[in-house]
Amino acid sequence: MKKINKMLIANRGEIAVRIHRSAKEMGIVTVAVYSDPDRTAPHVLLCDEAYPLHGVTSAESYLDVAKILEIAERANVDAVHPGYGFLSEKEFFAKSVTHAGFIFIGPRSETIGLLGSKTSARDLLLKKNIPIVPGTTKPINNLDEAITVASSIGFPVLIKASGGGGGKGMRRVDSVEELNNAIDRAKNEALKSFSDDSVYIEKYIVNPKHIEIQILADTHGNVIHLGERECSVQRRHQKVVEECPSMALTADLRARMGSTAVDIAKAAGYVNAGTMEFLLDDQKNFYFLEVNTRVQVEHPITEMVYGLDIIKEQIRIAQGEKLSFTQNEVSIHGHAIECRIYAEEYDNNFLPSTGTITHYQPSEGLGVRNDSGIRVGSEITMYYDPMIAKLVVLGRDRTEAIEKMKRALREYKINGVKTTIPFCELVMYHPEFVNGTYDINFVAKHYLGPESKLSLPESTAIASALVSEVQLPDKHDIINTNRYPESKWKQQRRNE
Ligand code: ADP
């Protein structure tokens, strides 16, 4: 066992703040790193020490392994926490951190390498009899092979990048004729995004739910799962709203998917926190999708429902401690929902929105948690991910969680950039979300088609557009709220 006394957080934004908070509560001295635009960001101001990376783009700053290791050396830290994104799932980063003599807070580098490639993960798990989405476990070499495979699986199929992430390098194909072009495009996108153009073929599962299982594995061979998160509200295959637990799972299905996730962790020799992602079809068959070898953006909903701090667990595991609870000692208490607040034009294909935050008043109150990486004056640039905060609520049950989220979204004020807050509000009212039957095509089906264009809720016309789109229970209830038409004077007073 090696106690961590000082830790470098190799990240920015809300997750850097989040990691700092848990580390602080454990008596750990925290070290921030920052790019030029992030000089006065909350993670820099909160951490005990902060070091400049001297650069603007991600490549010049948060992705520069040499600079980060040099700071770790200079600051004399014991450990490095990678957060999510950036270097968190790079095998060479984990390896370099360990070789330099620091503790990497995450899985072993070999595990990251093995599971980071979707094809090698599929290959391993197929051999262990884990149900994977039908398809190849090796990259496709030529068109003939692709035609043979796709025809035997049956259309529609999905061309996916082996090194994929963030929903990139994925193409649905409905016929043999479309195959060649789709492979070329997927390869190009994969090369640009992951410097690896290998692609493979998976059966396209029609209208599934995205269900993922959180696991914790210590260095003593103990592995437990913390139930599921449903993340089917996605745009461009990226999550926007998540909930825990899922309406689609019974206790029995939860136990089966949970034990499959534990089996996957054991098969891969997994250590630390991780997430096993699955697709669940309408017959309740589940198929392994991929492993995320890091803390997930949406981890807070599991924390709220299971009453645990996943970051602290990660740190304890990295110190060599045994898990302090067994599978039977963890259980569900209430229902949590997370809305990701992206600086995006939700009514314009979710295009990034840039600018300076001029007013910031997150919502508060019982059961409301705001994980954010911004403050008044923060510049939202094109350089980094547009997710600026996460609003999480915990209710006694799902109905209360939805009502609480509606209230908390209404209260949340950000001026200076457009955000996904009004979009998330629409989701909370949508009958398909309310009754829990939504699947991964929910956003595309209701909000991205030409006939469902939405405008910003700043005029009466828009308020009525919202009403017709979501069939609100009471029009007036919505139109008369503070988010919708109101006098400049009132707005001014509110922002003072
Ligand atoms: P990434 O690593 O890029 O996030 P994933 O494999 O995790 O890619 O898939 C992201 C999302 O893409 C899933 O949540 C789902 O919405 C969709 N998807 C992926 N594979 C399939 C499939 N075989 N059939 C249908 N949808 C899929």
Side-chain angles (χ1 to χ4, degrees), residues 152-288:
S152 78
I153 305 171
F155 289 94
V157 296
L158 201 61
I159 313 290
K160 289 176 80 167
S162 307
K168 297 201 186 82
M170 241 182 264
R171 283 271 175 289
R172 176 184 165 149
V173 184
D174 289 281
S175 65
V176 173
E177 294 71 51
E178 293 171 21
L179 212 44
N180 198 13
N181 187 23
I183 291 176
D184 278 353
R185 290 176 65 181
K187 272 183 173 291
N188 273 335
E189 204 172 312
L191 189 63
K192 257 192 252 151
S193 305
F194 318 112
S195 312
D196 169 11
D197 78 345
S198 51
V199 297
Y200 70 102
I201 298 183
E202 246 178 46
K203 172 91 187 143
Y204 183 85
I205 311 289
V206 182
N207 302 337
K209 280 174 167 285
H210 175 115
I211 305 288
E212 59 186 34
I213 307 282
Q214 174 74 52
I215 65 104
L216 292 173
D218 67 19
T219 50
H220 306 272
N222 303 303
V223 187
I224 65 143
H225 71 84
L226 297 174
E228 81 282 10
R229 293 183 285 259
E230 165 148 14
C231 318
S232 304
V233 181
Q234 304 179 353
R235 46 109 181 81
R236 293 191 291 268
H237 304 301
Q238 288 174 343
K239 304 156 188 170
V240 197
V241 176
E242 302 96 351
E243 63 176 320
C244 169
S246 165
M247 293 274 280
L249 267 65
T250 56
D252 171 62
L253 184 53
R254 178 169 304 117
R256 282 192 290 126
M257 291 185 76
S259 80
T260 303
V262 168
D263 288 346
I264 294 171
K266 287 184 174 160
Y270 201 93
V271 168
N272 214 286
T275 298
M276 284 49 182
E277 295 190 334
F278 299 91
L279 292 179
L280 181 71
D281 71 14
D282 51 7
Q283 302 300 305
K284 307 271 184 201
N285 299 307
F286 61 89
Y287 306 94
F288 165 78

Side-chain angles (χ1 to χ4, degrees), residues 30-47:
T30 58
V31 175
V33 289
Y34 61 94
S35 64
D36 296 346
D38 281 345
R39 267 187 320 274
T40 56
H43 79 280
V44 178
L45 303 181
L46 281 171
C47 284

Side-chain angles (χ1 to χ4, degrees), residues 393-432:
V393 298
L394 176 68
R396 285 164 61 111
D397 54 26
R398 189 168 186 268
T399 307
E400 188 182 65
I402 292 176
E403 292 307 319
K404 205 179 271 287
M405 184 56 93
K406 285 181 191 166
R407 187 273 289 170
L409 287 165
R410 192 74 52 83
E411 235 177 77
Y412 212 110
K413 298 277 181 288
I414 301 182
N415 290 354
V417 288
K418 290 182 180 173
T419 73
T420 45
I421 292 173
F423 170 75
C424 292
E425 210 174 340
L426 289 175
V427 172
M428 291 304 120
Y429 282 96
H430 201 288
E432 231 172 87

